[in-house]
Amino acid sequence: MKPYVRGGVLEHFAPSVTALGGDPAALLQAADVAPEVLTVPGIFLPYASYLKLMDLAARETGAPHFGLLMARSGNAETLGTLGIIMTQAETVGAAWDTLIQYYRIHDTYGRVRLYRYPDTAMISYALPRYDQPGTRQVCDVAAEITCNIMRRFCGSGFRCTAVNFPYPQPCDTHPYAALGAEQLGFGASAVELHFPAVEMQRSLHGVSEELRRALDEL
């Protein structure tokens, strides 16, 4: 079976393309992606189509940082049911452990890992290969959504100590400023987000006991 990704990752695709003067429908057609991917909850698309669509969007809009822009409003709910389950964990670390355990529900191509060290922790998103058009875009989406989730869990003042990307440094790094990272790196082996390990112990707020009980019964 070909690898796939849940279409919810494209929830902000159309408005992002439109804001840059592009035509979302034309891009979907060019990438052979059904428009229902943007409107039908829970639908999936081949990962190869996701890569192609993101590459076309970046080129047609003239925004090589399109992935960062599209994912700027993304959060846990962008991951669908899996993201909602994350928000009901007791701690930040438990939330990411949950995502890693069930991530293949959302994406069968990429791989998420959490590394814990004495003083620091790192969340990574790795692909089997990085030489395909669109790779930069989907890596940027992963980094942006991960940063947004951590800000939601840890507070608006959260900052990664470093965010590294698995591609060469682009000429213009200003679009990465919204990530709020203290340091940017390029040429890594995966998308890597580093932060203090103490954040993993932080308790999550806004947990619904009713929802948590319902999830426990599944």
Side-chain angles (χ1 to χ4, degrees):
M1 184 176 181
K2 293 182 179 179
Y4 62 82
V5 64
R6 182 179 171 277
V9 73
L10 296 172
E11 65 174 328
H12 300 293
F13 175 81
S16 298
V17 169
T18 301
L20 293 168
D23 183 344
L27 289 172
L28 289 168
Q29 183 176 16
D32 195 26
V33 174
E36 288 78 12
V37 166
L38 305 185
T39 58
V40 178
I43 199 169
F44 293 89
L45 73 156
Y47 206 98
S49 298
Y50 175 40
L51 285 165
K52 183 176 181 180
L53 179 64
M54 295 299 289
D55 177 57
L56 286 172
R59 291 193 286 109
E60 293 300 318
T61 62
H65 55 289
F66 178 79
L68 292 172
L69 295 177
M70 187 190 81
R72 195 146 290 169
S73 298
N75 217 300
E77 286 75 10
T78 302
L79 305 177
T81 303
L82 178 56
I84 295 173
I85 294 174
M86 281 184 74
T87 66
Q88 301 305 301
E90 293 186 359
T91 66
V92 173
W96 285 104
D97 287 338
T98 296
L99 179 135
I100 291 167
Q101 182 178 359
Y102 298 108
Y103 189 69
R104 288 183 66 82
I105 296 173
H106 173 75
D107 172 2
T108 64
Y109 190 64
R111 184 178 64 184
V112 179
R113 292 288 185 268
L114 170 61
Y115 298 88
R116 290 179 169 92
Y117 306 105
D119 299 319
T120 63
M122 179 184 76
I123 297 170
S124 73
Y125 180 75
L127 299 177
R129 49 187 291 196
Y130 298 102
D131 59 346
Q132 303 169 92
T135 295
R136 171 183 171 180
Q137 308 308 318
V138 303
C139 287
D140 287 355
V141 168
E144 187 76 52
I145 291 177
T146 301
C147 281
N148 290 345
I149 291 175
M150 288 298 290
R151 276 191 286 267
R152 173 174 175 173
F153 287 169
C154 304
S156 58
F158 170 84
R159 296 186 69 190
C160 288
T161 53
V163 177
N164 301 324
F165 295 89
Y167 52 79
Q169 180 173 330
C171 296
D172 182 10
T173 60
H174 287 92
Y176 298 85
L179 292 173
E182 296 177 10
Q183 181 179 338
L184 288 174
F186 299 88
S189 59
V191 178
E192 302 174 348
L193 292 92
H194 299 259
F195 49 88
V198 67
E199 300 291 1
M200 291 286 96
Q201 307 303 319
R202 189 184 293 269
S203 297
L204 296 188
H205 301 289
V207 172
S208 166
E209 291 302 327
E210 182 178 358
L211 179 55
R212 179 178 285 178
R213 285 195 298 270
L215 292 171
D216 289 340
E217 293 173 0
L218 294 177

